[in-house]
Amino acid sequence: MAEVKPRIRLDKKEVKKGDTVDVKTLVSHVMETGLRKDSGGKLIPRMIINTFTCEFNGKFVFGCDLESAVSANPYFEFKFKPIESGALKFTWVDDEGVRIEATETITVT
Amino acid sequence: MLRRLSRRETLAAGAGAFAAGLGLAADPARALNDYADQIKKFTGDQVPVEGRVKLELPELAENGNTVPLSVTLDGPLDEGTYVQEILVLAPANPNARVIRFRFSAASVPEASTRIRLAETQDVIAVAKLSDGTFFQASRQIKVTIGGCGG
């Protein structure tokens, strides 16, 4: 699979303690459902991103288990409250075990 | 029934891009899926309390391939309690499970994504709290299949 660069947007990267950070992520992926047939009537095998996780300084923050009912190019928005500065690490894993990773840093003042 | 068959034929005839939605190729005779079992599996046979979970969906989705969905938990939570998981189910999709959001004590119980819906149905969300309680809500959404006038 081609190298994919996920798009991540944080509403702010410098926050005060107790503030909420809004995170939006988008990654390119076909999310083939496994239910479609090709022109020859053969089922196209399922090929989806099945897991998304977001960790902050190594600690789990948010994640999801995806099924084939998630649209192509999965988009997620979530919010969290960082209590210290650190790195927000995003990981997407698909059915072939391909991992897409990205990191953002957040400063808490 | 006839209408659906003709749609399938139309799709097979070349509107392949629109067929990407779940279930457009599914058996038209299909009844609702095993969503009730999936809820039981998720709650460990506990019966969820109605309410508190809020599902945001458009009333009408022209394109079932990409329907914006948001889930939140309404109301204050007890100190130390947080939402662990929210499971989203689509009873009229080929597969009941749509997505399972997993939260932590640091995250806010609120998430959005885009989902595929095969047809008009009541989408269900079940939330699991860290104190072991479950909440459930559903919301109807009308789907104009494939977005091409089905």
Side-chain angles (χ1 to χ4, degrees):
Chain A
M1 210 173 110
E3 187 72 20
V4 220
K5 196 177 171 344
R7 279 193 276 162
I8 296 162
R9 204 166 76 205
L10 310 180
D11 67 338
K12 44 191 172 296
K13 290 189 179 179
E14 285 180 20
V15 294
K16 290 197 193 77
K17 208 168 173 170
D19 272 2
T20 304
V21 178
D22 182 279
V23 187
K24 291 187 173 93
T25 70
L26 185 72
V27 68
S28 304
H29 199 279
V30 290
M31 297 294 283
E32 187 60 61
T33 61
L35 300 163
R36 287 201 307 149
K37 288 176 181 160
D38 63 17
S39 50
K42 255 179 61 188
L43 273 183
I44 305 169
R46 188 182 103 151
M47 178 56 185
I48 64 167
I49 288 179
N50 54 48
T51 325
F52 167 69
T53 28
C54 176
E55 291 178 336
F56 189 60
N57 290 341
K59 224 179 134 206
F60 174 81
V61 171
F62 174 84
C64 40
D65 300 334
L66 291 70
E67 305 291 336
S68 42
V70 175
S71 304
N73 306 330
Y75 161 84
F76 301 115
E77 181 181 355
F78 62 95
K79 293 173 177 157
F80 86 109
K81 290 179 179 169
I83 50 163
E84 54 184 354
S85 302
L88 198 57
K89 192 182 165 206
F90 304 86
T91 313
W92 293 259
V93 185
D94 76 8
D95 284 344
E96 278 178 3
V98 176
R99 293 169 74 89
I100 304 163
E101 292 178 338
T103 308
E104 293 280 339
T105 50
I106 291 177
T107 315
V108 175
T109 52
Chain B
M1 198 68 113
L2 273 173
R3 194 174 66 100
R4 283 202 200 181
L5 280 171
S6 79
R7 184 180 67 245
R8 289 176 75 196
E9 282 157 16
T10 316
L11 284 169
F18 291 107
L22 281 182
L24 295 189
D27 179 5
R30 185 190 295 274
L32 296 182
N33 55 36
D34 66 337
Y35 72 98
D37 292 341
Q38 293 290 347
I39 294 176
K40 278 192 194 144
K41 223 165 101 185
F42 181 68
T43 63
D45 284 334
Q46 256 199 72
V47 180
V49 180
E50 277 295 321
R52 287 199 70 178
V53 195
K54 224 170 96 189
L55 262 167
E56 275 176 52
L57 281 165
E59 270 180 36
L60 180 113
E62 287 194 359
N63 184 356
N65 265 331
T66 167
V67 182
L69 162 100
S70 294
V71 288
T72 47
L73 193 88
D74 260 356
L77 290 163
D78 292 341
E79 184 74 30
T81 306
Y82 65 97
V83 177
Q84 280 181 332
E85 296 178 358
I86 296 181
L87 176 70
V88 180
L89 300 146
N93 270 13
N95 300 314
R97 292 172 74 99
V98 172
I99 191 165
R100 183 171 64 125
F101 295 108
R102 293 182 290 130
F103 302 94
S104 64
S107 54
V108 177
E110 194 179 322
S112 307
T113 187
R114 293 176 193 141
I115 64 168
R116 291 166 171 154
L117 292 172
E119 54 190 276
T120 296
Q121 56 185 295
D122 294 328
V123 175
I124 300 171
V126 189
K128 178 189 184 187
L129 272 57
S130 59
D131 62 4
T133 49
F134 292 89
F135 292 97
Q136 179 180 336
S138 67
R139 191 176 163 128
Q140 199 200 51
I141 171 164
K142 294 193 172 73
V143 180
T144 315
I145 300 176
C148 43

